[in-house]
Amino acid sequence: MRKMEDLISINCVKLLIIALFYTCVSCSSVEQKIYVELNDTVPCVRLLNATHQIGCQSSMSGDTGVLHVLESEDDLDWILNTGPHPPYMIVMETAFFNRSVMLRMKNSSRVSGVAVIVSKTGLAENFSPHTTCPNQNTGVYSEDYGPELANCNVTAWNPLGNGLSYEDFSFPVFALKDENQTQVIRKCYEDHNLRVNGSAPQYPLCAMQLFSHMHAVTDTVTCMRRTDLQNRFSINPEVLCDPLSDFNVWSSTRPLNNSAKGHKTNESVVIAATRLDGRSFFWDEAPAAEGTVSGIVTLLAAVHALHPVTQQAPPLRNIFFTFFQGEAFDYIGSSKMVYDMERNEFVIDLDNVHSMLEIGQVGLRSGRDLWMHSDPISFKNNSVKDEVSLMMKNMQSVAAGLNISLDEPPVTQPLPPSSLQRFLRVRPIPGLVLADHRTSFINRYYESVYDDAENLNVSYPPNLSPDEQLVFETEEAKSLAEVATLVARSLYQQAGGEERNLNNITADPKIVAQLLYGFLIQKNNSWFRSLLPPEVTKKGANSILSSGPPQFYIGVGPRNIGPVHSVTRFVQYIMANLTGTVTNLTETQCQNPESKDLFSYFWVTGPSVNGSGEPLCVRASVRLAKAVSPAFERMEYGSRDYSTWTESRWKSIRARVFLVASRELEMLTLGVGVAVLLLSLLVTYFISSKAELLFSSARETPTTTY
């Protein structure tokens, strides 16, 4: 009898478990029926510096609102004043995504979030969410150095900047990139929320929920202090924010001993620099075509053009190529390199630096001049003035032979935002910044999602295959090849190379075309795949070779510097393959060479032959160097001298739409649910109190044998 009761109990438990399982499955199924998840979305996230927080965030459980598609200014007035179903989740085209509209919504309690449809429809003639004076607090000009030039008093470099990226929004803002999902949202709105003859729509209504709760608040000082306290006293510490960080990429025409830091005796270098990063209003959505890609492509093409000549006829000085990461956020990469040079923790020091040529925005010069910008304050130093004047004269001489119009702005004009400014904060180094603008930027979409291939007029004839597009020489490719030739010849001459070798230095338009295609159109192409390690090319959609162009936002890593950013990896391997030497080392020997003092070794996929490449080992003097602000190494989170930008951490980023019932129906449903709960408790109590009567079984008459 006892065994029978145990068996019944076990079966009851099994049935209960099965019931719970099917309940969970049913719940999941019900959730899928209720919600439509939006996958291809990009959030605005929270960033912090020494004094402020900027960006966007939702509440911890996500923000929800009745969906409304903004189609006119009257719609906005209706939402903010008379709409009967607040709060609203606003969906709008890019035509309405401007400072005035966003600030009106920011100051209203009737808006719970914004979703921006990223498309070219209705795109304004200009849109820059950056400030009018980029990096104004960390450049060279200050109260102590050219105070009359500080804060862009002479030149507003980005006059179209509306500062939207530097506002703090208490509601989530997402970008919608998938056209199909945008149509789903519009259909839901038109079926349920569209006003008819001015009358308010009736329930059920289409609603949207956005999740982007940020852990960090106030500023970097507060965030880092709280993180440090958790690391000290918490069993399970939680990091609230991370410093923006990655790596700089550098190389030189003559290899430098990377194991010996500090000053190099009898070594004089000419620095050729550009930036690696950009940004926009939305997280990790920064195409940066004119702002960044034009400089990267120009310098890489110049490196390629210089390589054979510098090996056969080395100039007197070494040419040091560097790509700075994090320059959009108060010069992270250049600050770190200068800081390490000062402390003798870099491969060279500042005494080794002879002069510097920086490549700025050079992609929109079609039909326009190029301009050589210099610093008017250091120009007062006679030795600097003589060297800068000689650089200008030599560059103009080279430009004349290339039919490029090259000029200089008035000597009273300050330097545009540039890495050179961080070097000048330490000492007066002769230097120029090459750009396509005389005064203000001509880039109408500076640091926005629309600074893309179309902004540089990079397009291809119809019916070309991807491989044909890869090598197609657009007008932009030809233009940047001319600029790269100018840069390469000028660097060779500045380094003391013989003038008779200049005509042997010419940038290859095909290389430029491939670089533009890879950085602006499709990074997962046959050329990029051949330059990267085999394990990277085989990882599929989640690798750095996912579909589409790379994004140039610097991102974050742990304090000991995390994985290398995809753009950094691309530039590193492209430069290694353009300047390196193929060796006969095996994969094991290549990945563990006997010495790395002068060269790095790269195991790459190799050119594709019959659909597959033969891996090979490339030796090149290409290196990575940390790009993290010295403020975090010094633990000076409130520093005014160095970048203090951090990115908040979060747990969930997602968006979904669903139908929401009226408040009356929700309350009725809640009431019925409570009534059912009370009734079930009453029934349970009744059954429990009568259990002995209800569940007793007839006693069997015992059989006794005497």
Side-chain angles (χ1 to χ4, degrees):
M1 192 69 178
R2 179 69 177 177
K3 290 183 177 179
M4 182 64 71
E5 291 176 353
D6 291 344
L7 184 60
I8 292 173
S9 299
I10 292 172
N11 288 334
C12 287
V13 172
K14 289 182 177 178
L15 288 172
L16 180 61
I17 293 173
I18 293 172
L20 288 172
F21 172 76
Y22 280 108
T23 300
C24 292
V25 172
S26 176
C27 288
S28 176
S29 176
V30 169
E31 183 179 6
Q32 291 175 2
K33 291 179 181 178
I34 293 175
Y35 299 104
V36 176
E37 297 289 338
L38 305 176
N39 297 319
D40 198 4
T41 60
V42 184
C44 158
V45 303
R46 174 167 290 168
L47 300 175
L48 309 98
N49 65 7
T51 56
H52 293 83
Q53 65 178 28
I54 63 173
C56 321
Q57 79 150 358
S58 73
S59 61
M60 190 173 294
S61 57
D63 287 344
T64 305
V66 172
L67 193 150
H68 190 92
V69 177
L70 187 63
E71 296 177 338
S72 67
E73 292 286 343
D74 292 339
D75 273 350
L76 185 59
D77 292 335
W78 183 82
I79 291 168
L80 300 182
N81 297 307
T82 60
H85 307 302
Y88 286 96
M89 193 67 69
I90 299 177
V91 177
M92 61 185 183
E93 296 279 0
T94 53
F96 298 102
F97 185 51
N98 56 57
R99 182 177 179 84
S100 62
V101 170
M102 290 298 293
L103 290 188
R104 286 185 66 188
M105 292 189 289
K106 175 183 177 179
N107 296 324
S108 172
S109 60
R110 296 170 60 87
V111 175
S112 58
V114 176
V116 182
I117 301 171
V118 178
S119 69
K120 299 293 183 178
T121 304
L123 179 61
E125 291 186 0
N126 54 75
F127 177 72
S128 174
H130 210 283
T131 61
T132 58
C133 190
N135 291 352
Q136 71 180 83
N137 296 319
T138 49
V140 67
Y141 303 113
S142 64
E143 294 180 358
D144 301 322
Y145 190 97
E148 70 280 4
L149 306 177
N151 301 312
C152 297
N153 288 333
V154 174
T155 304
W157 294 107
N158 185 36
L160 300 176
N162 58 36
L164 203 57
S165 291
Y166 290 82
E167 291 290 336
D168 182 36
F169 294 94
S170 59
F171 53 74
V173 182
F174 277 53
L176 305 176
K177 298 175 62 180
D178 190 308
E179 181 63 28
N180 293 328
Q181 291 189 340
T182 300
Q183 293 304 319
V184 170
I185 293 172
R186 287 187 179 278
K187 184 71 166 56
C188 185
Y189 169 75
E190 291 169 358
D191 290 346
H192 299 279
N193 297 16
L194 193 63
R195 287 179 291 168
V196 180
N197 298 323
S199 61
Q202 301 299 313
Y203 286 99
L205 297 173
C206 188
M208 177 181 284
Q209 189 173 27
L210 301 178
F211 297 84
S212 63
H213 179 66
M214 301 288 132
H215 295 179
V217 295
T218 309
D219 52 40
T220 291
V221 178
T222 304
C223 172
M224 297 302 289
R225 184 182 69 245
R226 291 176 177 175
T227 298
D228 290 340
L229 287 174
Q230 289 214 35
N231 289 333
R232 291 180 186 180
F233 302 112
S234 177
I235 298 175
N236 297 308
E238 181 182 10
V239 177
L240 303 178
C241 62
D242 299 287
L244 299 185
S245 58
D246 191 50
F247 292 87
N248 298 325
V249 184
W250 66 268
S251 181
S252 56
T253 52
R254 285 198 301 270
L256 296 168
N257 188 342
N258 194 49
S259 62
K261 306 298 184 183
H263 184 72
K264 293 289 190 295
T265 306
N266 299 323
E267 188 73 75
S268 178
V269 303
V270 177
I271 295 179
T274 194
R275 58 187 273 182
L276 272 179
D277 70 306
R279 66 163 305 189
S280 77
F281 182 85
F282 298 103
W283 176 75
D284 204 23
E285 188 71 16
E290 159 72 345
T292 301
V293 173
S294 63
I296 292 176
V297 169
T298 298
L299 190 52
L300 284 173
V303 170
H304 178 249
L306 275 168
H307 179 67
V309 176
T310 55
Q311 302 309 302
Q312 296 169 8
L316 296 176
R317 302 182 186 92
N318 207 344
I319 304 176
F320 184 92
F321 307 102
T322 180
F323 298 78
F324 291 122
Q325 183 64 276
E327 298 302 274
F329 293 94
D330 293 330
Y331 307 118
I332 294 174
S334 55
S335 296
K336 173 61 174 170
M337 184 173 288
V338 172
Y339 179 75
D340 286 346
M341 285 182 178
E342 288 183 285
R343 295 163 57 89
N344 290 322
E345 293 179 356
F346 194 63
V347 68
I348 56 175
D349 68 3
L350 291 167
D351 290 330
N352 291 124
V353 178
H354 173 267
S355 52
M356 182 171 176
L357 174 62
E358 182 172 350
I359 317 303
Q361 301 180 76
V362 292
L364 294 176
R365 75 172 194 91
S366 179
R368 300 183 178 94
D369 299 337
L370 281 175
W371 299 89
M372 300 174 292
H373 296 266
S374 60
D375 171 41
I377 305 302
S378 61
F379 202 75
K380 297 174 183 178
N381 180 306
N382 289 332
S383 62
V384 171
K385 178 180 180 180
D386 292 343
E387 191 61 46
V388 169
S389 298
L390 181 61
M391 289 177 69
M392 288 182 173
K393 179 181 177 182
N394 290 338
M395 288 189 71
Q396 287 173 327
S397 174
V398 171
L402 296 171
N403 294 320
I404 294 177
S405 178
L406 191 62
D407 208 342
E408 56 184 291
V411 71
T412 57
Q413 181 172 287
L415 279 171
S418 54
S419 307
L420 174 58
Q421 292 199 30
R422 293 303 301 191
F423 285 81
L424 291 173
R425 281 175 66 112
V426 180
R427 64 173 58 187
I429 292 174
L432 294 175
V433 176
L434 186 67
D436 55 18
H437 53 89
R438 176 180 179 272
T439 54
S440 302
F441 300 157
I442 60 176
N443 183 2
R444 297 175 297 136
Y445 302 109
Y446 180 72
E447 303 289 40
S448 83
V449 294
Y450 303 111
D451 185 13
D452 54 11
E454 186 173 328
N455 190 34
L456 284 185
N457 297 314
V458 175
S459 59
Y460 301 89
N463 303 321
L464 288 184
S465 68
D467 283 339
E468 290 172 333
Q469 290 182 346
L470 176 64
V471 296
F472 181 80
E473 296 179 14
T474 62
E475 289 303 313
E476 180 65 18
K478 296 174 183 176
S479 174
L480 287 183
E482 291 178 348
V483 180
T485 301
L486 168 66
V487 170
R489 292 182 180 181
S490 299
L491 287 171
Y492 186 76
Q493 199 166 25
Q494 180 65 15
E498 297 182 9
E499 189 172 348
R500 59 188 176 88
N501 293 318
L502 292 182
N503 290 334
N504 297 326
I505 303 173
T506 303
D508 186 352
K510 180 181 176 182
I511 291 292
V512 175
Q514 291 175 306
L515 290 169
L516 284 174
Y517 182 81
F519 284 125
L520 295 179
I521 307 296
Q522 179 58 266
K523 58 182 176 290
N524 191 359
N525 61 71
S526 57
W527 189 53
F528 273 26
R529 287 195 297 270
S530 71
L531 306 180
L532 292 169
E535 65 271 14
V536 171
T537 63
K538 295 176 182 178
K539 286 183 179 179
N542 294 324
S543 76
I544 62 173
L545 283 178
S546 56
S547 181
Q551 300 301 322
F552 291 82
Y553 172 65
I554 177 177
V556 300
R559 293 189 186 180
N560 60 347
I561 298 296
V564 179
H565 191 283
S566 60
V567 171
T568 307
R569 180 70 64 89
F570 290 145
V571 171
Q572 177 193 18
Y573 275 80
I574 289 170
M575 190 150 59
N577 281 271
L578 292 180
T579 63
T581 303
V582 176
T583 69
N584 58 2
L585 298 180
T586 65
E587 180 178 2
T588 302
Q589 293 171 331
C590 189
Q591 294 175 346
N592 299 282
E594 294 181 0
S595 174
K596 295 182 179 180
D597 291 343
L598 294 178
F599 297 99
S600 296
Y601 294 81
F602 303 86
W603 186 252
V604 302
T605 301
S608 177
V609 179
N610 297 325
S612 62
E614 184 68 32
L616 46 89
C617 183
V618 175
R619 185 189 72 183
S621 59
V622 180
R623 307 279 186 177
L624 296 180
K626 286 182 181 180
V628 59
S629 172
F632 297 101
E633 292 192 359
R634 298 159 63 100
M635 299 183 70
E636 296 176 354
Y637 307 134
S639 173
R640 299 303 176 94
D641 296 323
Y642 298 106
S643 171
T644 55
W645 285 106
T646 56
E647 179 189 278
S648 174
R649 287 201 178 186
W650 59 82
K651 277 192 171 67
S652 176
I653 296 287
R654 58 196 180 107
R656 58 189 185 181
V657 294
F658 59 97
L659 292 180
V660 61
S662 67
R663 180 67 62 181
E664 291 78 10
L665 180 58
E666 289 178 344
M667 296 307 296
L668 177 62
T669 304
L670 176 62
V672 171
V674 171
V676 170
L677 174 63
L678 294 175
L679 180 61
S680 65
L681 291 174
L682 184 62
V683 170
T684 302
Y685 173 76
F686 174 78
I687 293 175
S688 177
S689 64
K690 304 295 183 180
E692 186 175 351
L693 177 63
L694 293 173
F695 299 108
S696 62
S697 57
R699 294 183 178 180
E700 297 179 5
T701 304
T703 303
T704 306
T705 304
Y706 295 94

